[in-house]
Structure formats: C-alpha cells, structure tokens
C-alpha cells in the first residue's frame, strides 16, 4: 500500500494531505447533515442542555416536517448522538449503535416517546488542539456511518425485532454504502470543504485531481476482495 500511494502521487499529482485542511470535522459534519436534509428532510437540532455519557458527545434532536402539514409544523424522528473522538477504553473502529430501536407495538399505557429511536454514530478521530482535520477516508467513514444512522432513525416497523438494522446482513450495508458516495460529489465538496483557517473553498484543481485519482488501483482491490469472498465460500 505504501508503494501504491507513491505511484498514485506520481501518476496523478494527488496527495491526500493537500485535501485535509479543507475537511475539518465541523465542515464534514455540516456536509453530512446537509445531505441528510436534502435526501430525507431531516433537521438536526443540537441539544447542549442534554447531558450525554461523555463531554465530547454531541446530542441532536432529529426532526422533519409532518407529512401533509404546514411547513412550520415538524415532528421528532429520533435522538442522535455523535461520538466522534478516540479516547481511552473506547472500542476501536467506527460503528452505529442504538440505545432504543423504533417500534410501534407499544403496550397499553406506554408513552409514545418510547417508539422514538435513540441512535449513535461512533468514530475514532484524533481530537485536534484546534480544528480536528479528517482525511478523505475519514470523511467517507463519517458519511458511511450516517447511512447506518439513517437506517435506525427512519425505521418504520411494527416490531422492534424487525426494525432498523435487524434485517438480512447484505441489506444492513446498503444504506451506508450509498451514503458514503455523497462526500465525493463535487457539489457537496464545493459547498462544505472549506479551509479550516481561511474559510476558502477547496480549489477546483484539487477536486479534479481527486476525481482522477479515485479509480487508481481499483483493479487490485476488486481482485483482492473477490479472492477473499471465494475463499470464504470455499471454507
């Protein structure tokens, strides 16, 4: 992988570190919330008054306009916890989890709020002393996990055992795989990828070089995961 990156830099004149100053955690979070709003009509209202399990965790009410209602009327869809930073004793990697899944079959006398899902996205980004800067892959991961978050927040099932990600394994990854590709859309990057110090938008030349380099080494990647899949099925 080291040599592959060297070849990519030589052939496409693209170094991911050039993009990093334009991908602060705040900018990428704003981008993913904006895409979420445009795709699903979701609005994220930060709740600083709600205490989470760690000071670094941000809590949001997720709301959207009621169907067929006046545009000023909205409804609570979910509570969303964004836990982005690495810390001691936290599991590694990135994942979506739920503290409460959506369901409709509430027992008699149970408050309807119990049907509202509580969803968290968990990442392990290194917290910066100023702006936390992400690699492009980190940004893709944040978008990927939001796809899982959508799966939980937008669930509309009667039974909790069939809600959210309680589906066939192949389908679990569909919303996340679709969501992660939105970060590379030029419209998203041009609007949200801004220099963390100057606020300048990402240069067109850098975006063009990113686009040109994205398919580099994909042939090897396809053969690699195909070989792993064939091995899994064989054993």
């Amino acid at each position: 992988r080291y040599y592959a990156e060297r070849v990519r830099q030589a052939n496409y004149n693209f170094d991911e570190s050039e993009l990093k100053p334009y991908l602060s955690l705040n900018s990428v979070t704003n981008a993913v919330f904006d895409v979420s709003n445009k795709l699903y009509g979701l609005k994220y209202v930060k709740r600083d008054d709600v205490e989470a399990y760690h000071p670094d965790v941000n809590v949001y009410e997720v709301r959207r306009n009621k169907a067929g209602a006046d545009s000023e009327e909205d409804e609570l869809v979910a509570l969303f916890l964004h836990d982005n930073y690495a810390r001691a004793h936290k599991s590694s990697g990135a994942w979506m989890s739920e503290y409460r899944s959506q369901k409709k079959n509430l027992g008699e006398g149970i408050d309807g709020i119990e049907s509202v899902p509580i969803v968290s996205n968990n990442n392990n980004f290194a917290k910066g002393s100023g702006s936390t800067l992400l690699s492009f892959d980190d940004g893709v991961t944040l978008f990927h996990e939001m796809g899982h978050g959508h799966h939980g927040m937008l669930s509309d099932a009667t039974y909790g055992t069939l809600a959210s990600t309680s589906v066939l394994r192949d389908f679990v990854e569909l919303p996340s795989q679709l969501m992660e590709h939105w970060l590379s859309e030029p419209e998203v990057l041009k609007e949200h990828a801004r220099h963390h110090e100057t606020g300048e938008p990402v240069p067109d030349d850098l975006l063009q070089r990113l686009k040109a380099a994205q398919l580099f080494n994909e042939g090897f990647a396809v053969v690699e995961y195909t070989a792993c899949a064939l091995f899994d099925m064989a054993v």
Side-chain angles (χ1 to χ4, degrees):
R1 296 186 188 278
Y2 168 78
Y3 288 108
E5 183 60 25
R6 292 292 298 272
V7 171
R8 181 169 70 163
Q9 290 178 19
N11 289 356
Y12 297 96
N13 190 28
F14 177 73
D15 184 345
E16 278 202 6
S17 63
E18 293 181 74
L19 192 58
K20 205 167 186 178
Y22 298 92
L23 297 177
S24 70
L25 177 58
N26 285 341
S27 292
V28 180
T29 299
N30 288 337
V32 80
F33 286 171
D34 184 42
V35 171
S36 179
N37 176 259
K38 289 175 178 174
L39 290 177
Y40 304 109
L42 301 181
K43 296 176 285 188
Y44 295 80
V45 181
K46 193 174 181 184
R47 292 291 303 268
D48 291 322
D49 58 314
V50 177
E51 185 177 354
Y53 52 85
H54 190 276
D56 285 340
V57 179
N58 292 320
V59 180
Y60 299 87
E61 279 188 10
V62 184
R63 310 189 70 88
R64 67 179 169 190
N65 291 347
K66 289 185 177 180
D70 184 88
S71 61
E72 295 301 315
E73 285 193 83
D74 61 13
E75 60 185 348
L76 179 65
V77 174
L79 285 181
F80 178 66
L81 283 68
H82 221 188
D83 185 353
N84 285 313
Y85 297 119
R87 59 180 177 270
H89 312 300
K90 182 180 179 181
S91 297
S92 60
W95 68 97
M96 168 268 204
S97 57
E98 292 175 295
Y99 296 96
R100 182 170 66 204
S101 294
Q102 176 272 336
K103 60 181 176 293
K104 295 178 181 178
N105 64 326
L106 299 176
E108 186 176 347
I110 301 298
D111 193 320
I113 195 68
E114 295 293 331
S115 68
V116 175
I118 302 174
V119 175
S120 71
N121 273 178
N122 309 274
N123 296 294
N124 271 283
F125 305 136
K127 188 176 184 180
S129 56
S131 296
T132 296
L133 303 181
L134 306 184
S135 68
F136 187 76
D137 283 348
D138 285 339
V140 169
T141 297
L142 191 145
F143 267 68
H144 177 101
E145 295 307 326
M146 182 56 83
H148 289 305
H150 287 148
H151 202 165
M153 292 187 285
L154 297 173
S155 177
D156 187 25
T158 299
Y159 304 104
T161 53
L162 299 175
S164 183
T165 56
S166 297
V167 295
L168 293 175
R169 174 59 60 182
D170 286 350
F171 191 76
V172 168
E173 291 300 321
L174 178 63
S176 55
Q177 292 289 330
L178 293 175
M179 188 65 184
E180 70 180 46
H181 291 289
W182 283 100
L183 180 60
S184 60
E185 286 298 308
E187 297 90 335
V188 174
L189 288 170
K190 285 299 293 183
E191 183 173 354
H192 295 285
R194 295 182 175 272
H195 197 281
H196 69 105
E197 292 178 337
T198 67
E200 290 295 313
V202 62
D204 290 333
D205 171 65
L206 184 54
L207 290 183
Q208 290 167 4
R209 286 185 282 133
L210 167 67
K211 196 71 174 178
Q214 278 186 318
L215 295 181
F216 171 71
N217 215 34
E218 283 299 294
F220 173 80
V222 170
V223 171
E224 184 180 43
Y225 69 65
T226 300
C228 291
L230 291 172
F231 178 79
D232 281 351
M233 289 188 288
V235 299

